[in-house]
Amino acid sequence: MCTSMGVTLLLPSCGINYLWQLGALKSLLEQNVKIDRVLGSSGGAWSGIFLGLGAEILDDWISRAPKYYALWQKKNRFRYWRRMTRALHDDSHRVLEEYGFFEKFRPSFEFGIKVVELFPTLKSRIIRVDGRAPENIHRLAVASSTIPFLTGFIAVEESRVFLDGGFSGGFGKVAGDTIALDPYGKLHATFRIVPSKSLPLGLRLGSPFLIPVEEFEALIMQGYHAAKSAMIVRR
């Protein structure tokens, strides 16, 4: 599919199910879907980051991610919530550093990360991050992935305090042609790509600690095939 007007991708909060989104993104790129804008929250923010790094890096991370998260699961299973969030910050920083994110992240699309502003006002916000310093983008992505009042991680930008973007639901009304890569099937969008069958409980909770390690690779492939089949219908 190739159109003159691009779509807005909605990548909602989904925890480890962002791997499902990565598989779907790979399929969309193979089908030449033109993407003008990406809105991501929590796990979806990380999907947007890897999409913004380009198809080659996206493919490489897809090939590495199942083994990476199997080891991450083993390493972090018995950490307290706050320590796990610090591990998310530090480990994701190392991964993105390997891919040159902090030197060359310039997505070809408008990119927004959803967070909840805690101070000076309490409200949900989508912060446009393309053009911002990659260190700030990384910090906002981590903040968008935390659990309020449990994990302890916040981001401070321009004297404002932000935390978990998934705490306040979806993205609201988004103008134009939208495609949601929605593992839970709850978002409003012009077109939704959802799993072919309901996710098991561990995946519905989005936790990397509640599923067998062999499911990580299967999750990516499920997202890939769901997007491939759905886009045939969309045409």
Side-chain angles (χ1 to χ4, degrees), residues 74-86:
K74 182 178 180 180
K75 176 182 175 183
N76 293 288
R77 184 180 296 275
F78 298 109
R79 290 192 173 191
Y80 294 111
W81 280 109
R82 292 173 186 269
R83 292 183 64 192
M84 279 195 291
T85 305
R86 175 51 59 183

Side-chain angles (χ1 to χ4, degrees), residues 8-228:
T8 295
L9 280 186
L10 305 180
L11 305 176
S13 171
C14 57
I16 195 61
N17 293 303
Y18 99 97
L19 295 177
W20 183 92
Q21 290 179 339
L22 292 185
L25 288 173
K26 176 179 172 64
S27 178
L28 295 185
L29 292 180
E30 290 179 355
Q31 296 176 76
N32 298 315
V33 174
K34 186 175 185 294
I35 300 166
D36 284 346
R37 186 183 184 204
V38 172
L39 302 179
S41 174
S42 188
W46 298 104
S47 299
I49 284 174
F50 281 103
L51 178 65
L53 284 166
E56 185 176 339
I57 288 177
L58 176 66
D59 283 347
D60 187 73
W61 180 238
I62 283 173
S63 71
R64 291 177 54 193
K67 183 176 180 180
Y68 177 89
Y69 282 109
L71 294 173
W72 199 89
Q73 184 189 75
K74 182 178 180 180
K75 176 182 175 183
N76 293 288
R77 184 180 296 275
F78 298 109
R79 290 192 173 191
Y80 294 111
W81 280 109
R82 292 173 186 269
R83 292 183 64 192
M84 279 195 291
T85 305
R86 175 51 59 183
L88 170 63
H89 176 280
D90 295 347
D91 293 347
S92 62
H93 195 286
R94 281 190 286 270
V95 168
L96 293 178
E97 196 169 35
E98 289 180 37
Y99 286 127
F101 168 83
F102 298 101
E103 292 78 36
K104 63 182 183 183
F105 185 70
R106 294 178 179 83
S108 60
F109 47 80
E110 180 182 324
F111 185 22
I113 292 179
K114 185 186 174 191
V115 289
V116 172
E117 182 180 310
L118 186 63
F119 178 85
T121 57
L122 180 61
K123 62 180 180 180
S124 173
R125 288 187 57 189
I126 296 174
I127 299 179
R128 184 170 175 178
V129 296
D130 50 300
R132 287 179 178 251
E135 286 282 0
N136 295 346
I137 298 172
H138 175 252
R139 187 162 57 249
L140 286 167
V142 175
S144 182
S145 305
T146 61
I147 300 175
F149 314 117
L150 287 180
T151 58
F153 191 93
I154 59 176
V156 179
E157 290 289 316
E158 300 171 353
S159 300
R160 298 178 184 273
V161 178
F162 302 107
L163 46 73
D164 187 0
F167 190 55
S168 62
F171 298 100
K173 293 183 179 180
V174 180
D177 192 12
T178 55
I179 296 179
L181 304 186
D182 189 5
Y184 301 140
K186 294 182 178 180
L187 284 187
H188 295 289
T190 309
F191 189 77
R192 287 189 306 160
I193 298 174
V194 299
S196 58
K197 58 182 179 179
S198 297
L199 297 173
L201 178 60
L203 286 177
R204 291 196 67 81
L205 294 174
S207 171
F209 303 108
L210 298 177
I211 60 172
V213 295
E214 60 268 17
E215 289 295 319
F216 292 133
E217 186 170 0
L219 196 56
I220 294 170
M221 294 308 300
Q222 289 165 15
Y224 178 87
H225 291 299
K228 188 173 182 180

